Amino acid sequence: MGSTSDQHGNGGVGRRTLIKRSAALGIVSVPAVSLLSACASGDSGSDDKVKKGTKSKNNPLAVNESAALSVVIFDGGFGTKYATDANAQYKKAFPKAKVNFHATQKIQSELQPKFNGGTPPDLIDNSGAEQMDMGVLVGKKQLADLTPLLDAPSVDDPSKKVRDTLRPGIVEMGQFDGDPVWIMYYAYTVYGVWYSQTALDKLDSQYPEDWDAMLALCAKAKKKGIAGWTYAGKYPYYLPFSLYPFIAKIGGREVLDKIDNLEPNAWKDPAVKAAFEAYYELYKKGYILKGTPGIDHIQSQTEWAKGKALFIPNGSWVENESAKVIPKDFNLAVGAPSSLDSSDKMPFGTIWASGGEPFIVPAKAANVEGGMEQLRIMLSEASSKNFTSQVKSLSAFNGGTDGIELTPGLKSGVAALEKAGDNVVNPRLQDWYVKLQKEQIGVAGLGEMMAGRLTPAEAIKKIQGYADAAAKDQSVKHYKHQ
Amino acid sequence: MQHGKYRFIVGFLVAPLALYAIFVIWPFIQSIYYSFTDWTGLSPDFKMVGFDNYTRLLHDDIFWKSLQHSVIFVVLLPLVTLSLALFFAFMLNVGGRRRKGAAVAGVRGSGFYKIAYFFPQVLSVTIVALLFRFIYNPSGGLLNSALDAIGLGSFQPQWLGDPTWALWAVMAVLVWSTVGFFVVLFSAGMASIPKDFYEAALLDGASRITTFFKITLPLLWDTIQSGWVYMGILALGAEAFSAVNIMTVGPGGPDYSTTVLPLYVYQSAFRDANAAYATTIGVALLIVTLLFAAIVMRLGRRDRLEY
């Protein structure tokens, strides 16, 4: 007699059936759907802003001296010490204020619910893999206009406005369509082709100024068992760091502007094709380090630091990020893209440099003035120097490198900027259209091409398709170069 | 004595049902509601957009790719994992040579194998995925070095870097990390099958294969079915998501070859700041899950043996 069976009909629900049914309902509850509404749209953003303080010479932004300040910093390649040092400065200026400091790598997962609920912190370093989409934040009016900060007197020289102490392009980068400035990029990153001068010396070579020299050098290295290039194969959106300025160099900066503006056929420009073909040749001739398409940025940087490859497209954070694996006598340097040929529109030295580490002050923050004041302190010469000497990167503050000993990479970055002069390009795809840049152009386009699975022509066609789709996508806010 | 039976049952069920309604049913209703809005997830204001998100879904290649991969996962993963686990469990418990005094026994060293199989289960999927990222590393990773060592130096796939391999590489990791659990589960199930069944079969001269299909499998059917459901959850949900998110290029790549539905939900909500669209994909995932549950329940129905 099977008492646990549901076969005999006493009308009730047998134990097994019950268990089975509840199992069925159980799995239904598992998928991610319910996860999403866990952070579902909160109530209205309650407007509990702190009162403004009194404006004075030392307090031009009228910060409430006793209001708490909450700061969230991305804990990435730069660490967080530079930020806690700045917090200490704030504390000194406003002894009655309580400073809440929080460091995280999960910017979006931690802060998205707070934005949604209307209780964001006062200052955020919106950086890293979990960067919140700035276009959406601006479009949904979640950010405070930083114009008061830029018009405030600088800490070092009260006769100068903060905006006059910044590197060229920093203010414009923080704007999206029009006057308000939404983002303060604190770091200043030099992108390009990074290499070891020592390794080139060993090959009796100089950094190749044109593409023929590049190919010749790669051939020479290959004979010695060294690959020419490697890159973050799992995140091929590192390739543009040297590829985009290469395109601008060949065809002029308008080509990049058209690409950023998502204009039809922007990718079909001959300059794009020429640049893609040049890079593809690296693959075809076997100058790319074996296994590159399957390794991540740390692995590729390590192989490169070990001398297995000469060149890697990267940004100036690489010096700090790879500090542990870069040998002492490495003599790190950055090169601008080599010329393709003499008909290039821009001179050798054209480089991509732009703001990094985007800091934002949420519009709904309780202490908006405090957040801006903290930024003002960070943009002083002393804080900027502190940042540069700690993390081997330039800051948005123009200058601030005198009197500190520059590391080789940083020195080379400063030299590259001097050489570039006005020929600094600043492609915006990576901050305007994150998905397009990373997943579609990067992984599905460039990554596939450099792994040899797409020809340049196919890659261009595919990327143009994605760009057209992004241009048509109404759920994405579109931007144009002014 | 049926009087008041239902009132009695309901009395006990009120609290759990209320909890279930609040924490399971209500979020579902909310999700479905949000799928008709243009909510970004970064701001509390949004408006209704009707079926826009669904129209978009139907024309979204990435969604269809994710769906296809999730379906492959939910069909193949349970099949492969459970078959392997059944085989292993059978060998460990019943498949050994006949020794004196015992009609059925496992292969030599089965105690050790049991531990070896179960071991990955104590590691979280995050650690397993990180570990395999190094194993799959095309230059100097364990796998390619091993291929090299056995003279297959010319066959050196990029594994996670190649669209033809990546999905299978991820699936292999999930199989490796979950099969041990089912070996133990099925071992327990087999241990509860009365020994005299096997002895009777032996007396009749049944081979191992016959024993397996005529005795072990039918008597284990309930356990296998639970295993199937459980494995389906892993394949559609968190486990597949973590493995893909940690191991693959992009993640989800190369060229969308490994993207799965939960990953796409996550990316839409937390990278593209399009939470409404994410809930729409979530609703699609819900439908897939319901279909899976329905099919498993339907196929699993068969006569039950009582012992």
Side-chain angles (χ1 to χ4, degrees), chain A residues 346-391:
Chain A
M346 292 176 87
F348 175 71
T350 298
I351 205 162
W352 177 359
S354 64
E357 296 300 297
F359 277 76
I360 50 177
V361 177
K364 288 187 182 144
N367 190 359
V368 170
E369 294 79 26
M372 289 197 207
E373 176 64 18
Q374 175 71 83
L375 274 177
R376 197 174 75 97
I377 292 172
M378 288 170 69
L379 290 167
S380 69
E381 181 163 4
S383 292
S384 166
K385 263 188 185 168
N386 183 37
F387 174 75
T388 302
S389 55
Q390 268 181 29
V391 305

Side-chain angles (χ1 to χ4, degrees), chain B residues 11-307:
Chain B
F12 273 102
L13 283 182
V14 166
L17 277 180
L19 284 175
Y20 191 77
I22 293 169
F23 292 107
V24 180
I25 308 285
W26 180 237
F28 276 113
I29 296 171
Q30 275 186 312
S31 301
I32 293 168
Y33 167 71
Y34 284 119
S35 70
F36 292 102
T37 67
D38 67 349
W39 179 43
T40 58
L42 280 173
S43 142
D45 52 297
F46 55 81
K47 58 178 191 302
M48 301 302 286
V49 293
F51 280 92
D52 281 10
N53 286 318
Y54 289 91
T55 334
R56 182 192 166 119
L57 192 75
L58 293 179
H59 296 101
D60 184 352
D61 292 344
I62 305 168
F63 165 72
W64 289 111
K65 270 196 180 166
S66 317
L67 178 66
Q68 189 191 339
H69 296 146
S70 275
V71 169
I72 295 178
F73 266 67
V74 83
V75 172
L76 279 188
L77 264 184
L79 194 70
V80 174
T81 313
L82 299 187
S83 314
L84 270 177
L86 264 179
F87 172 73
F88 290 148
F90 183 74
M91 294 308 281
L92 292 184
N93 291 288
V94 194
R97 270 168 205 278
R98 281 148 212 168
R99 265 163 283 175
K100 238 193 213 161
V104 285
V107 294
R108 206 183 297 264
S110 56
F112 169 76
Y113 289 129
K114 232 179 247 181
I115 293 170
Y117 289 143
F118 192 70
F119 179 68
Q121 192 62 35
V122 301
L123 302 173
S124 84
V125 67
T126 318
I127 296 170
V128 170
L130 281 170
L131 200 70
F132 270 86
R133 223 161 71 164
F134 291 108
I135 293 175
Y136 282 132
N137 185 339
S139 55
L142 186 69
L143 192 56
N144 275 5
S145 304
L147 285 175
D148 217 10
I150 57 166
L152 284 169
S154 56
F155 180 70
Q156 300 266 294
Q158 307 276 1
W159 300 116
L160 296 169
D162 189 332
T164 47
W165 289 102
L167 190 70
W168 310 113
V170 173
M171 279 176 72
V173 172
L174 285 175
V175 169
W176 182 81
S177 67
T178 45
V179 78
F181 173 79
F182 293 102
V183 171
V184 172
L185 183 73
F186 293 156
S187 293
M190 285 178 194
S192 71
I193 297 172
K195 291 251 189 305
D196 26 336
F197 286 22
Y198 288 108
E199 283 160 1
L202 282 175
L203 285 177
D204 288 346
S207 70
R208 272 194 224 180
I209 295 171
T210 324
T211 327
F212 177 76
F213 281 104
K214 298 280 167 173
I215 296 179
T216 312
L217 196 59
L219 291 177
L220 264 184
W221 194 249
D222 275 357
T223 320
I224 294 171
Q225 205 184 349
S226 324
W228 197 281
V229 171
Y230 182 69
M231 203 58 216
I233 298 172
L234 298 189
L236 282 176
E239 217 90 343
F241 164 76
S242 320
V244 170
N245 194 30
I246 294 168
M247 290 170 59
T248 62
V249 175
D255 199 16
Y256 301 113
S257 61
T258 54
T259 163
V260 286
L261 283 177
L263 180 76
Y264 198 33
V265 171
Y266 174 79
Q267 287 179 334
S268 301
F270 298 108
R271 182 196 57 198
D272 308 339
N274 197 346
Y277 189 52
T279 54
T280 316
I281 306 164
V283 170
L285 182 55
L286 172 68
I287 294 168
V288 174
T289 317
L290 284 173
L291 280 177
F292 169 75
I295 291 168
V296 170
M297 294 300 154
R298 183 94 212 142
L299 290 183
R301 192 175 295 167
R302 51 145 75 200
D303 288 339
R304 212 171 300 276
L305 250 160
E306 302 292 340
Y307 53 86

Side-chain angles (χ1 to χ4, degrees), chain A residues 99-305:
Chain A
V99 179
N100 297 312
F101 177 81
H102 178 58
T104 180
Q105 299 198 339
K106 308 228 155 280
I107 293 288
Q108 179 139 19
S109 22
E110 286 188 20
L111 296 183
Q112 182 161 350
K114 295 200 170 179
F115 269 98
N116 215 12
T119 56
D122 304 316
L123 180 64
I124 301 165
D125 172 13
N126 183 22
S127 186
E130 279 208 16
Q131 188 176 54
M132 289 176 289
D133 190 314
M134 235 92 67
V136 175
L137 285 174
V138 173
K140 289 283 171 185
K141 303 196 171 35
Q142 293 285 314
L143 299 186
D145 180 7
L146 300 178
T147 309
L149 162 71
L150 294 166
D151 289 336
S154 90
V155 173
D156 302 302
D157 180 359
S159 66
K160 256 189 185 171
K161 286 180 181 176
V162 167
R163 73 166 75 232
D164 300 325
T165 66
L166 303 177
R167 286 182 192 278
I170 287 285
V171 172
E172 290 72 24
M173 249 192 105
Q175 295 175 324
F176 285 81
D177 286 346
D179 287 334
V181 177
W182 307 113
I183 304 157
M184 182 70 231
Y185 286 89
Y186 187 59
Y188 194 70
T189 306
V190 179
Y191 300 94
V193 184
W194 293 79
Y195 61 95
S196 153
Q197 185 59 49
T198 315
L200 293 197
D201 289 346
K202 275 189 201 149
L203 290 165
D204 290 323
S205 298
Q206 283 301 312
Y207 180 76
E209 295 204 358
D210 64 55
W211 201 252
D212 290 336
M214 171 61 82
L215 293 175
L217 177 55
C218 289
K220 198 169 176 184
K222 194 181 180 186
K223 274 190 200 127
K224 304 224 158 153
I226 303 169
W229 287 61
T230 187
Y231 58 90
K234 289 178 103 177
Y235 312 110
Y237 42 86
Y238 276 55
L239 282 163
F241 297 154
S242 61
L243 182 63
Y244 285 178
F246 189 37
I247 292 172
K249 191 180 168 338
I250 298 169
R253 59 175 93 227
E254 323 69 83
V255 184
L256 288 186
D257 286 356
K258 274 190 217 156
I259 287 174
D260 284 344
N261 290 345
L262 301 180
E263 281 177 28
N265 294 327
W267 287 91
K268 300 208 168 137
D269 194 281
V272 176
K273 188 147 188 281
F276 274 38
E277 273 167 359
Y279 271 50
Y280 188 64
E281 201 171 354
L282 294 173
Y283 159 77
K284 278 207 12 205
K285 295 209 157 130
Y287 297 155
I288 304 277
L289 179 73
K290 204 177 134 224
T292 293
I295 59 181
D296 65 15
H297 58 302
I298 299 291
Q299 288 164 329
S300 65
Q301 284 162 202
T302 306
E303 298 285 304
W304 160 80

